Amino acid sequence: VAAAQPINDDWKRRAPRRTGNLADSGGVSTKLTKRQQALARKEGKSTVQVYVGPNDPAAVQEEFGNDHQPPHPFLRPALEQSKGQIREIMIREIQAGLAKLGR
């Protein structure tokens, strides 16, 4: 969850602000929707999944566009921009967890 926070902060800054609903709609969570639960069952029990991003259905149209509007990517650039930070946070968090286990 900590490693996903930089993506979350960045996509919210980049999200279009016509009404503000899009940027207010999401966050970071380990709680899965019904659809995500079905997909996770296929992955197996040894995986950990953290979701980050908007939960507004309009986000897909903004990110990828459609026949009536061009794309306005905000989530993919946030992920690209945050990759280094994510890696550093994950390493730090895993090392801290291992230290607690005495390894």
Side-chain angles (χ1 to χ4, degrees):
V1 172
Q5 200 58 52
I7 304 168
N8 190 59
D9 296 343
D10 196 13
W11 82 259
K12 286 184 177 231
R13 277 192 299 275
R14 295 172 185 264
R17 300 274 176 200
R18 288 185 203 94
T19 65
N21 292 341
L22 183 60
D24 293 339
S25 75
V28 178
S29 178
T30 57
K31 185 174 179 176
L32 308 179
T33 65
K34 297 236 184 255
R35 180 179 161 278
Q36 291 165 336
Q37 288 173 1
L39 293 170
R41 277 193 287 279
K42 294 177 185 177
E43 296 289 324
K45 294 184 180 188
S46 63
T47 62
V48 175
Q49 297 187 9
V50 176
Y51 292 87
V52 60
N55 55 19
D56 183 335
V60 174
Q61 304 302 317
E62 284 293 332
E63 183 78 14
F64 297 103
N66 58 38
D67 289 344
H68 306 288
Q69 73 179 40
H72 298 110
F74 59 94
L75 190 55
R76 290 174 291 164
L79 174 60
E80 286 298 317
Q81 184 72 33
S82 302
K83 280 183 179 179
Q85 252 184 308
I86 294 165
R87 187 177 311 110
E88 289 172 15
I89 293 169
M90 288 181 73
I91 290 168
R92 185 179 67 230
E93 293 292 320
I94 290 169
Q95 287 173 338
L98 290 173
K100 286 180 184 177
L101 294 172
R103 296 183 181 174

